[in-house]
Amino acid sequence: MDDDGTRGVRGSSADRVPGPALPPPPTAPPRVPAPAAGPDPAATPVEQRPTRPGPASPAEQPVPGAPVDAWLRTPRPPQEPGVWRYGYTPPPPEEPEGVSNRSLLVGALISLLSALLLWSLWRNGYLPYRLVPLKLFTPGEWWNPGTSGGPRTIEGSDALTVYEAILFGLLAYGCGRIGNFSELFRRHVADRGQPFLALAAAAAAGLTQLLVWKEALPVVRPVLVLVASVAGGEIYQSQTVVNVIYAVIAAAVLHPFARLGRWRELIAARRGTAAPAPDGTAVAPAAATSADQWPELRTAGWTDAADTLTAEVRTGRMNDVDVARLRHAWALATRRPDRFAPLAEAVLRTGGAAALHPSGHRDLPRRGARHDVLTGQVRIGRCADDPHNPYVRRGTGLALEPALLGTSLLAVGPPGAGKTARLIRPVVEALALRALAGQAAVLAVGGAGAPLGPDDAFDVVVRLGHPGSAHDIDLYGGTTDPDEAAAVLAEGLVGDVGSLDSRRAATVLAQLLGPYRAAHGHFPSVPELRELLDGTPAALAGLRASLEAAGHHAMLRELDARSRQAGGPGDPAPALADRVALLDRPAFTGFFATGPDARPFSLRALGQHPLRVRVDLPERGHAEASRLLTRLFLAQFTAITAARTDTTLFACLVLDDATHAVTAETVRGIRRLRSVNAGAVLALRTVDDVPETLHTPLLGAVGCTAAFSGITTWDGKRFAEAWGKEWVETREVAQHTVFADQPFTRALHALRKLVTGKAVTTDAVTVRQVERERWSASELAYAVPAGHAVLSLTTVQGEHAPPLLVHLDG
């Protein structure tokens, strides 16, 4: 691969009453086996521990040293824009809004007390007509006369025993339903997991057994009555049969508690056998297709190469970058069949080191964020559990990828909000990994000392104004066309000056760059360009003499035109000369060279090779020059990427500080980036760092926006307008005073007002659909916590994600 002279550069290293026929009940409950003790959570494998239902928590990337084959087989299902797909499992269905814990406890207590009162009234005979339903279905000779007459015979007594047991069961069921005991159990017992669940169930089972065998609960005698009525009373003459019946009763009472406590699953976990997660939440299974077997190579017939790579993966001699790089190389080879054989031979010869990046590196020296190189995603945070976020997105990881960066991203936040550490650096790191896989090129521009990554994580490091810099920058973008160079250079020099037309400035520069290149074979250096723009007689005379000697009459006409227009009203040359003077400083001596021996780095190489480039700007001593250069880089990048013909390589420009770098022309260029597989990431302290006339065009040109905590309400208003509105349901409650007509009612109302101090009112609730902003300006300014940001995402295919509140963890 042609490396355009960038190989080997510095900074690019690898790195109830008994009847007479019944036996007496036992004095103590039968012995039953106690449940096993709960397992030690620390000793239980992670995949066997139950988890509480809730929004799915995405799996994390395997720790360093984890098997690559397991990482490769982990499913990555297609999801909405921005979802961290690695090991993603969908959340359970959203549960309806439940009552508060206090209301739940009070309701259960009231229900229980009511049931006890009702049962006490029943047992003590205070409820009238309580035996009428039983007498309707049994012979009359069993009962004493009258509606309240009790049993006359043993059969009537037995029937009453069973009748009371049935009523007790109905009363217990109704109490449980009305008091919502199932929800109470789920919240305060089941959700606490094992071993608390098993221990609580065991305690409840022991108490219930005691109440059953003490006959506080009508269970034992009704069962004995029913067995005697079916099998005859003689069955109880055998002590063995009696013991069996008692054991069955004890097991029947114990069974529901064993299921509630999930004793079987707990015992299975303690024995080391696999058990399904009790709440239905389990670790996502591996993909059905064994991706580590390299099926695409086997389908194409290259079985030997597939076997070699499979062995490399399983023995740990390949990392995730190697997998992504070889997959990409194979995808490129499918477009050109002549590359199949060389790639397969390289795989057989070098294994996972085939098709290496020109730098020879197979990974970054260190990583500060979680990456999934297979999909190109970098995880930057987790969606907060906030009402602004949709339920399915709460708790899920949020990630950026080329499909999102291809629409460009604008991040706005004050200093210290975390733009660089929590967003810019993870993005640069992800793009650098993708460059090592041969799929992207990245240019990161920031101030000197900005934490964009170590030097050995880049192929080219340019320190402008630093005498120890090994590389230089081509102000003309590597082009040989004077008109193209003039247009881009004019945008960088005076694109932020609203009173100047950049097209006129480009014309002035073209009138000087064209003749100079024709006479000398290259464009002028910064001092020479400044002299020409100032109209220095010696510089113009020397250029004219060189053109006359070479016979460049067309260029002489260009130079004559510049001489005639010089000094006229509206001449942009003085403004251009003043801006060039910012670069003609002693600190930049030796930089921006253009002679035949100069080999400055050209941004044009980004569109041809998977390069990792970092440019350090001298912001402290030369702030205005740094802004000029940033504006120039943005103009060159948009022009170069739009003109390239091969768009298989994703190119991205990352500006850690884009203050005064955005112009009307670059906004139009940013719109065109998504169609040429390129993108830009721009970070601003405030939207006011962009001319006011460009606020709306810029927010409309980028597909992804991020508002960090601490922005002003003025910036929040612009984001709120850009994100639009949505339909929401609102409830309006109006209180109306109740006027009583009856004297007794008026007396009650007067007594209530005397006690509470408030008049008796009634509530009128109105529910309607209204259209409101997704995030208001004041919410963005005051409701976004520190370390959080609100991100709105759009893919190059047009898929949208609503503004999401994200906790950034970088």
Side-chain angles (χ1 to χ4, degrees):
M1 179 186 296
D2 182 15
D3 56 16
D4 195 34
T6 61
R7 184 166 183 172
V9 299
R10 189 181 67 183
S12 59
S13 64
D15 307 43
R16 79 174 125 131
V17 177
L22 302 180
T27 58
R31 294 177 62 86
V32 294
D40 181 9
T44 305
V46 176
E47 61 272 12
Q48 296 180 8
R49 298 181 195 171
T51 57
R52 178 177 178 175
S57 176
E60 304 296 346
Q61 180 180 348
V63 296
V68 178
D69 54 348
W71 168 82
L72 192 55
R73 291 194 304 266
T74 302
R76 297 163 175 84
Q79 292 298 322
E80 296 179 356
V83 174
W84 175 249
R85 294 166 51 193
Y86 178 82
Y88 174 82
T89 54
E94 183 177 8
E95 297 180 359
E97 184 178 356
V99 297
S100 63
N101 289 331
R102 179 179 179 180
S103 300
L104 192 63
L105 291 171
V106 172
L109 181 60
I110 292 176
S111 174
L112 179 61
L113 294 177
S114 300
L116 292 175
L117 176 62
L118 187 60
W119 182 247
S120 177
L121 294 176
W122 167 268
R123 293 296 301 268
N124 291 286
Y126 289 107
L127 296 180
Y129 310 109
R130 65 191 186 97
L131 299 181
V132 170
L134 179 60
K135 293 181 178 181
L136 291 176
F137 295 96
T138 55
E141 60 269 15
W142 289 7
W143 309 97
N144 292 320
T147 57
S148 300
R152 177 189 296 177
T153 64
I154 294 176
E155 291 82 359
S157 178
D158 292 343
L160 180 60
T161 299
V162 176
Y163 179 58
E164 287 184 345
I166 295 175
L167 289 180
F168 180 82
L170 294 176
L171 181 62
Y173 177 78
C175 173
R177 295 283 294 182
I178 295 174
N180 203 0
F181 278 85
S182 60
E183 178 66 15
L184 187 66
F185 174 81
R186 186 190 67 81
R187 287 192 191 181
H188 299 283
V189 180
D191 283 355
R192 297 183 65 173
Q194 300 287 16
F196 180 82
L197 176 59
L199 295 176
L207 178 60
T208 305
Q209 290 278 5
L210 181 62
L211 295 177
V212 167
W213 298 109
K214 292 296 184 180
E215 295 196 15
L217 299 179
V219 175
V220 176
R221 187 159 296 278
V223 173
L224 297 176
V225 167
L226 289 175
V227 172
S229 63
V230 174
E234 296 81 3
I235 192 174
Y236 294 122
Q237 295 179 0
S238 173
Q239 185 63 36
T240 303
V241 174
V242 173
N243 292 336
V244 170
I245 294 175
Y246 287 159
V248 171
I249 295 174
V253 173
L254 191 63
H255 177 70
F257 294 98
R259 297 196 60 180
L260 288 175
R262 302 187 181 102
W263 295 350
R264 179 182 299 178
E265 300 166 1
L266 182 59
I267 294 173
R270 288 296 300 270
R271 291 178 178 176
T273 58
D279 50 16
T281 303
V283 177
T289 303
S290 184
D292 63 325
Q293 296 286 335
W294 299 85
E296 61 273 18
L297 273 70
R298 300 182 187 275
T299 303
W302 297 96
T303 308
D304 294 341
D307 291 339
T308 301
L309 293 179
T310 300
E312 292 272 309
V313 168
R314 293 186 174 178
T315 56
R317 294 196 295 267
M318 287 181 64
N319 59 19
D320 52 354
V321 178
D322 295 331
V323 173
R325 186 186 69 251
L326 290 173
R327 280 175 171 263
H328 178 67
W330 185 261
L332 293 179
T334 56
R335 304 175 189 175
R336 297 182 57 180
D338 58 307
R339 294 186 178 181
F340 275 131
L343 179 60
E345 292 176 1
V347 168
L348 293 174
R349 184 175 64 256
T350 61
L356 273 180
H357 185 264
S359 66
H361 300 168
R362 299 173 63 175
D363 200 354
L364 296 179
R366 55 185 175 272
R367 304 185 187 184
R370 289 187 284 270
H371 300 270
D372 184 17
V373 187
L374 206 59
T375 59
Q377 288 190 317
V378 54
R379 187 181 180 278
I380 64 170
R382 184 182 299 276
C383 295
D385 188 4
D386 186 87
H388 285 92
N389 293 340
Y391 171 78
V392 295
R393 298 301 297 268
R394 298 175 190 173
T396 61
L398 188 129
L400 296 177
E401 55 184 312
L404 296 171
L405 299 178
T407 63
S408 298
L409 186 149
L410 176 66
V412 178
K419 300 188 300 297
T420 301
R422 302 184 179 186
L423 180 65
I424 299 299
R425 176 162 180 170
V427 168
V428 172
E429 198 173 83
L431 292 170
L433 287 172
R434 204 157 180 84
L436 291 176
Q439 305 175 47
V442 57
L443 171 62
V445 181
L452 300 181
D455 293 352
D456 48 359
F458 296 91
D459 302 314
V460 176
V461 177
V462 181
R463 295 184 177 89
L464 291 174
H466 193 284
S469 177
H471 294 276
D472 194 359
I473 283 291
D474 188 354
L475 288 180
Y476 304 99
T479 182
T480 58
D481 185 356
D483 293 326
E484 180 182 351
V488 175
L489 186 58
E491 198 64 36
L493 291 175
V494 295
D496 61 327
V497 182
S499 58
L500 283 181
D501 186 356
S502 60
R503 292 174 295 183
R504 291 193 60 189
T507 301
V508 170
L509 286 172
Q511 290 173 343
L512 296 174
L513 296 182
Y516 191 94
R517 178 171 180 79
H520 301 283
H522 57 83
F523 290 121
S525 62
V526 169
E528 293 169 332
L529 180 60
R530 180 183 180 183
E531 291 180 352
L532 293 174
L533 289 171
D534 282 333
T536 304
L540 292 175
L543 179 58
R544 183 183 300 275
S546 299
L547 292 174
E548 290 175 349
H552 295 293
H553 302 290
M555 293 304 171
L556 282 171
R557 289 195 299 270
E558 286 282 284
L559 192 60
D560 291 339
R562 171 84 287 270
S563 300
R564 290 193 301 269
Q565 298 169 3
D571 183 18
L576 290 169
D578 291 341
R579 289 300 177 89
V580 173
L582 295 174
L583 302 179
D584 188 18
R585 305 298 300 161
F588 298 115
T589 301
F591 286 87
F592 316 120
T594 59
D597 298 331
R599 290 182 54 85
F601 174 76
S602 169
L603 267 64
R604 194 169 298 272
L606 291 173
Q608 303 170 1
H609 308 289
L611 293 175
R612 302 165 296 166
V613 184
R614 193 190 78 204
V615 177
D616 295 343
L617 299 175
E619 288 185 340
R620 294 184 178 180
H622 303 273
E624 196 61 34
S626 297
R627 295 173 182 174
L628 186 154
L629 291 170
T630 302
R631 190 164 53 248
L632 179 61
F633 292 147
L634 180 57
Q636 286 186 0
F637 181 81
T638 56
I640 290 170
T641 53
R644 62 179 182 160
T645 56
D646 185 6
T647 60
T648 57
L649 196 68
F650 178 73
C652 188
L653 170 67
V654 182
L655 298 181
D656 184 48
D657 185 5
T659 302
H660 300 300
V662 179
T663 65
E665 185 60 33
T666 53
V667 168
R668 286 189 286 268
I670 291 173
R671 288 198 187 101
R672 296 190 296 264
L673 292 179
R674 67 178 66 187
S675 62
V676 293
N677 195 23
V681 179
L682 312 177
L684 295 171
R685 295 182 177 90
T686 174
V687 181
D688 289 331
D689 288 339
V690 176
E692 186 176 0
T693 56
L694 297 179
H695 291 173
T696 300
L698 177 60
L699 288 171
V702 298
C704 304
T705 50
F708 283 72
S709 61
I711 65 172
T712 64
T713 52
W714 291 272
D715 287 342
K717 179 181 179 181
R718 297 180 180 95
F719 281 106
E721 292 175 350
W723 293 338
K725 301 179 179 181
E726 62 178 347
W727 290 98
V728 298
E729 184 180 278
T730 62
R731 295 170 59 90
E732 296 180 357
V733 181
Q735 293 185 340
H736 303 281
T737 303
V738 178
F739 298 95
D741 297 330
Q742 301 299 324
F744 180 72
T745 308
R746 286 200 298 270
L748 290 178
H749 287 185
L751 179 61
R752 179 175 174 180
K753 183 176 181 180
L754 181 63
V755 172
T756 63
K758 298 180 181 179
V760 180
T761 60
T762 183
D763 294 341
V765 181
T766 303
V767 181
R768 60 179 179 176
Q769 295 284 336
V770 298
E771 196 176 22
R772 287 184 177 176
E773 294 174 329
R774 300 179 184 270
W775 282 83
S776 67
S778 59
E779 287 176 328
L780 288 171
Y782 302 111
V784 179
H788 290 64
V790 182
L791 277 78
S792 175
L793 305 174
T794 306
T795 67
V796 291
Q797 291 81 18
E799 298 181 74
H800 295 269
L804 302 170
L805 179 63
V806 181
H807 175 239
L808 301 169
D809 51 26

